[in-house]
Amino acid sequence: MVRLAHDVLDSQLVDRKGRPCGKADGIVLLVGEHGAPRVVALEVGALTLARRLHPRLSRWLARWGRRLGAAAPHAYRIPWSQVRRIDEKEITVDIDAAATPLWSLERWLAERVIDRLPGGA
Amino acid sequence: MALLRVVMIAVLLAAAGCGGSGDATDVRALASWAATTDMVAAAWTQHEVPRRYSLRAVGRARQALTERGRHLDALPAAARARVGEALQRLDRAVAELAEAIERGDRTGAVPIRARLQAEARTLGEVAAGLEARS
Amino acid sequence: MTKVFEVALGIVTSIGGFLEAGSLATSAQAGAEFGFQLLWVIALGTLCLIFLVEMSGRLAAVSHHTIASAMRERFGFNFFVVPLLTVALVSLLTLGAELGGVCMALQLATGVALQWWALPVMVLVWVLLWRGSFGLIEKGVSLLGLVTVAFLVAMFRLHAPLGEVAAGLVPRLPDHDSGRYWFLAVSILGASLTPYLFYFYSSGAIEDHWDKKDLGTNRMVATLGMSFGGILAAAVLVVAAMVFLPRGVRIESYEQVALMLIDAFGHWGFWLFVAAFGIACLGAVLEITLAVAYLVAQGFGWNWGENVKPRDAARFAATYTLALVVAMLPVVAGVDPLRLTNVSMVLSAASLPVATLPFLVLMNDPTYVKGHANGRFGNAVVLVVIVLACVLAVVSLPLELVGG
């Protein structure tokens, strides 16, 4: 048995290479034809967090964030089928974080800023 | 809202409280800076602190004396007169100390110390008198 | 043998890490104005800190969570955002005070105005963080920080009246200037209990891969290290009481504090003070900068760690860089470092309930600490001290700002 709010929401996520790749900021449920909700995905990103604080904050962040291009805030969904393991410390998901938008800000900072400074790599 | 009200009341109480006791505190601070310059003078004449530090410390003391010296209007007349005179003598002594340090004249700085100590004592006495009254 | 060495090193680390601008300035002010009367506040703050630091290490060793990540997981993001912002803001302010302290030490040494030191100091700190490892920073700075033992030596060289000193450990009401007395009391509590200290400690425990085997070490390091740190702060107070009180000098600027070791050490005194003050503040700067970056990275689940190359923890590295720049702004703007220190210490006291109460809940939650939950005594001490600190802060901060 998995208790969604207790064991999943706000837990640390790590990808298949063991890299921390955000927290389970949101959980996406789908209500089927017969009214039984089913977990379909985990949602990760600043837009999800902002929506939890206030929906208007999320819309505002999305509008202004677009200017950032590649590093814009997002709400990325990891399908529930990719969840491999849930334990006390973290949730392991079968993705390569660096290939997803989860890594966009990290990649942007690494390539645009850190590589241009001495001793960063 | 309740917290805000508590803070507001605390601020008002504080503002009211400061008007009463601030005067003695200001005179205490003047005495403290007089004593500080004497400490700096002592350390400098005995080669215990570098010249540039001494200049800065004395400069800081002068600045503090000027700032604090502006808030004496609320003092009782007798005390205000006594503090005003002490402050004038103190200003002269501190200025001379600064010049002596600038020149590197340690022997010239030694006699200034007695004057600094005298003003620190005078100011301390006035502050004690004001504190005893309040 | 390695265990003994590990414990010894841990203790040395916490001594070097304890004394910084905040406790140095507040202890010196307290001694100069009230003699030994406020010593009990240092004792109380140190006792509470021992408990908080021990808890922080225990949480990390048992649950493999830092305080920040456990807090977010347990209470959810919408709650976590409050302690996150509070601790981050208070820490940035404290960081500003410590950076001001490093620049002030350089001004004392060279006579060159402290604003000119802001940029070089920032670059030095940044390079240390950028290139250095956690161990290098923790151990290197702490070993240098042992120069702060000079305050303890000074206390004995001045033949402090130990009977009167001991009497200062008994709590009492002030005999004059009660507003000022309580303001200094809360500043001392804020300086002993700055939240970054125990938030940082749990991150360090994770960086050093602690587990249940380390619980004994943790208890020893927390108790002995923080006690020695507290003794150093007490020594500063005692020396200030013996040097400044008889002369009627009240501490309003660091230029005055700089004279404090001359009676004990002669011409060495000034330079010992400058070295101790500068190094202690530099150590605190490194710790707080990292603490802010840890807090943010752990709160959002980024990869973090001082042992990781900046490129592999880009957001983490960017956060500490930004924290340094933001915290330096008040120093560059010419805010008096001592004033900044005083205000940030009171604010850190005021923020304690937000920073520690959720932490206390975690430490009593078997989901996280299993069979290693807090005892009643630990809970009670922390609860009483932080409530006291917060109430005093809320009452006395307006007093100080209005300029009483």
Side-chain angles (χ1 to χ4, degrees):
Chain A
M1 188 186 75
V2 174
R3 292 173 294 175
L4 287 178
H6 190 279
D7 299 338
V8 177
L9 193 62
D10 289 311
S11 289
Q12 179 69 49
L13 303 178
V14 293
D15 74 354
R16 68 167 83 101
K17 291 179 179 164
R19 278 177 301 200
C21 53
K23 305 261 177 183
D25 295 327
I27 297 171
V28 184
L29 299 178
L30 196 67
V31 183
E33 283 170 35
H34 307 293
R38 196 162 51 86
V39 181
V40 290
L42 297 176
E43 207 173 82
V44 187
L47 292 182
T48 317
L49 284 179
R51 195 169 58 237
R52 280 170 76 181
L53 290 173
H54 200 286
R56 202 178 298 154
L57 187 64
S58 183
R59 284 199 294 276
W60 182 84
L61 193 65
R63 186 158 356 110
W64 288 93
R66 238 170 262 148
R67 296 159 187 232
L68 294 173
H74 52 257
Y76 179 71
R77 287 186 180 181
I78 302 169
W80 186 250
S81 58
Q82 307 287 85
V83 174
R84 284 292 164 268
R85 198 179 126 85
I86 298 174
D87 63 23
E88 285 168 0
K89 200 180 150 207
E90 59 208 10
I91 298 175
T92 313
V93 287
D94 189 16
I95 59 168
D96 177 7
T100 68
L102 295 177
W103 226 248
S104 54
L105 181 60
E106 184 80 12
R107 195 181 312 120
W108 186 86
L109 283 170
E111 286 169 5
R112 297 295 183 83
V113 186
I114 291 175
D115 283 355
R116 295 178 187 185
L117 294 166
Chain B
M1 277 328 279
L3 183 70
L4 192 68
R5 205 166 305 149
V6 170
V7 172
M8 291 279 288
I9 291 170
V11 169
L12 290 175
L13 281 176
C18 280
S21 68
D23 314 332
T25 312
D26 279 324
V27 181
R28 268 275 167 243
L30 291 173
S32 153
W33 280 108
T36 304
T37 37
D38 178 49
M39 274 185 96
V40 174
W44 183 71
T45 49
Q46 285 155 40
H47 298 265
E48 288 165 343
V49 287
R51 193 179 71 102
R52 303 190 68 169
Y53 157 77
S54 312
L55 277 177
R56 275 210 172 266
V58 171
R60 181 73 183 78
R62 292 177 89 171
Q63 182 197 341
L65 288 173
T66 321
E67 278 167 17
R68 292 276 182 176
R70 285 198 208 108
H71 300 292
L72 302 174
D73 303 340
L75 290 181
R80 190 170 59 212
R82 218 173 148 206
V83 171
E85 286 163 21
L87 209 51
Q88 274 183 2
R89 292 191 298 266
L90 184 58
D91 276 337
R92 264 200 304 279
V94 175
E96 284 173 37
L97 176 64
E99 285 161 22
I101 297 174
E102 193 84 63
R103 286 196 308 270
D105 176 12
R106 287 194 166 79
T107 35
V110 174
I112 302 176
R113 285 196 58 199
R115 289 156 62 194
L116 296 169
Q117 285 162 7
E119 301 318 331
R121 222 167 16 245
T122 309
L123 290 164
E125 281 164 16
V126 177
L130 291 167
E131 278 158 8
R133 205 187 306 178
S134 61
Chain C
M1 201 53 221
T2 45
K3 202 76 182 168
V4 174
F5 181 68
E6 206 42 44
V7 172
L9 201 61
I11 294 166
V12 167
T13 306
S14 31
I15 301 174
F18 188 93
L19 202 67
E20 30 66 59
S23 37
L24 206 150
T26 54
S27 300
Q29 287 173 321
E33 288 177 48
F34 292 95
F36 307 140
Q37 281 185 59
L38 278 157
L39 271 173
W40 65 274
V41 186
I42 295 184
L44 192 67
T46 308
L47 179 69
C48 185
L49 182 66
I50 290 173
F51 278 104
L52 284 169
V53 164
E54 190 278 330
M55 287 176 200
S56 171
R58 178 151 44 94
L59 177 74
V62 177
S63 76
H64 302 289
H65 277 84
T66 61
I67 297 181
S69 75
M71 212 181 263
R72 166 149 183 206
E73 196 181 278
R74 172 69 173 71
F75 297 98
F77 182 74
N78 284 11
F79 177 88
F80 172 69
V81 88
V82 178
L84 172 74
L85 289 178
T86 310
V87 174
L89 281 176
V90 170
S91 301
L92 282 177
L93 211 57
T94 313
L95 179 56
E98 306 292 344
L99 281 166
V102 180
C103 296
M104 190 70 211
L106 289 162
Q107 175 182 311
L108 291 172
T110 63
V112 176
L114 62 97
Q115 281 90 337
W116 292 103
W117 291 106
L119 194 64
V121 166
M122 222 159 67
V123 170
L124 169 74
V125 171
W126 186 79
V127 168
L128 282 174
L129 291 172
W130 196 256
R131 305 299 297 257
S133 68
F134 185 78
L136 174 87
I137 285 169
E138 186 188 36
K139 282 147 196 165
V141 173
S142 307
L143 284 172
L144 288 175
L146 282 181
V147 66
T148 51
V149 173
F151 291 104
L152 195 60
V153 178
M155 182 176 128
F156 289 104
R157 285 185 71 120
L158 294 175
H159 305 290
L162 296 178
E164 288 170 45
V165 169
L169 292 170
V170 180
R172 73 181 92 181
L173 294 174
D175 50 21
H176 62 95
D177 295 305
S178 55
R180 183 73 182 157
Y181 180 87
W182 291 113
F183 173 76
L184 286 173
V186 76
S187 304
I188 291 175
L189 282 180
S192 324
L193 298 170
T194 10
Y196 86 83
L197 268 173
F198 44 94
Y199 276 69
F200 178 81
Y201 194 79
S202 72
S203 307
I206 298 280
E207 293 252 29
D208 289 340
H209 306 288
W210 283 18
D211 61 25
K212 280 183 195 148
K213 286 197 301 295
D214 298 302
L215 283 176
T217 314
N218 176 44
R219 208 170 301 132
M220 293 265 283
V221 168
T223 312
L224 293 177
M226 298 303 134
S227 304
F228 281 136
I231 289 172
L232 282 185
V236 172
L237 186 147
V238 170
V239 173
M242 299 183 70
V243 171
F244 295 123
L245 184 66
R247 293 178 164 107
V249 171
R250 298 183 164 200
I251 305 301
E252 285 179 56
S253 97
Y254 280 120
E255 275 94 354
Q256 295 169 298
V257 194
L259 296 162
M260 128 181 235
L261 291 178
I262 291 175
D263 281 3
F265 297 109
H267 71 280
W268 281 101
F270 178 79
W271 294 107
L272 267 175
F273 176 85
V274 170
F277 179 49
I279 291 170
C281 291
L282 179 66
V285 164
L286 289 165
E287 287 194 359
I288 304 174
T289 314
L290 278 177
V292 172
Y294 284 145
L295 179 68
V296 175
Q298 292 157 7
F300 292 103
W302 303 338
N303 41 343
W304 57 274
E306 175 56 15
N307 296 324
V308 182
K309 288 257 187 301
R311 194 181 202 284
D312 299 322
R315 286 169 289 187
F316 175 74
T319 308
Y320 66 61
T321 308
L322 197 65
L324 264 181
V325 174
V326 171
M328 193 55 109
L329 291 178
V331 180
V332 179
V335 177
D336 177 59
L338 186 61
R339 186 112 179 125
L340 191 60
T341 307
N342 276 134
V343 171
S344 57
M345 291 309 122
V346 178
L347 281 178
S348 100
S351 75
L352 279 173
V354 177
T356 52
L357 288 180
F359 174 41
L360 220 48
V361 173
L362 284 173
M363 293 312 295
N364 287 284
D365 183 342
T367 322
Y368 289 93
V369 282
K370 313 283 185 312
H372 301 276
N374 275 357
R376 273 203 203 129
F377 185 59
N379 281 333
V381 167
V382 173
L383 216 54
V384 167
V385 175
I386 60 175
V387 169
L388 176 75
C390 178
V391 169
L392 284 177
V394 170
V395 176
S396 67
L397 184 65
L399 255 158
E400 178 66 10
L401 288 182
V402 170

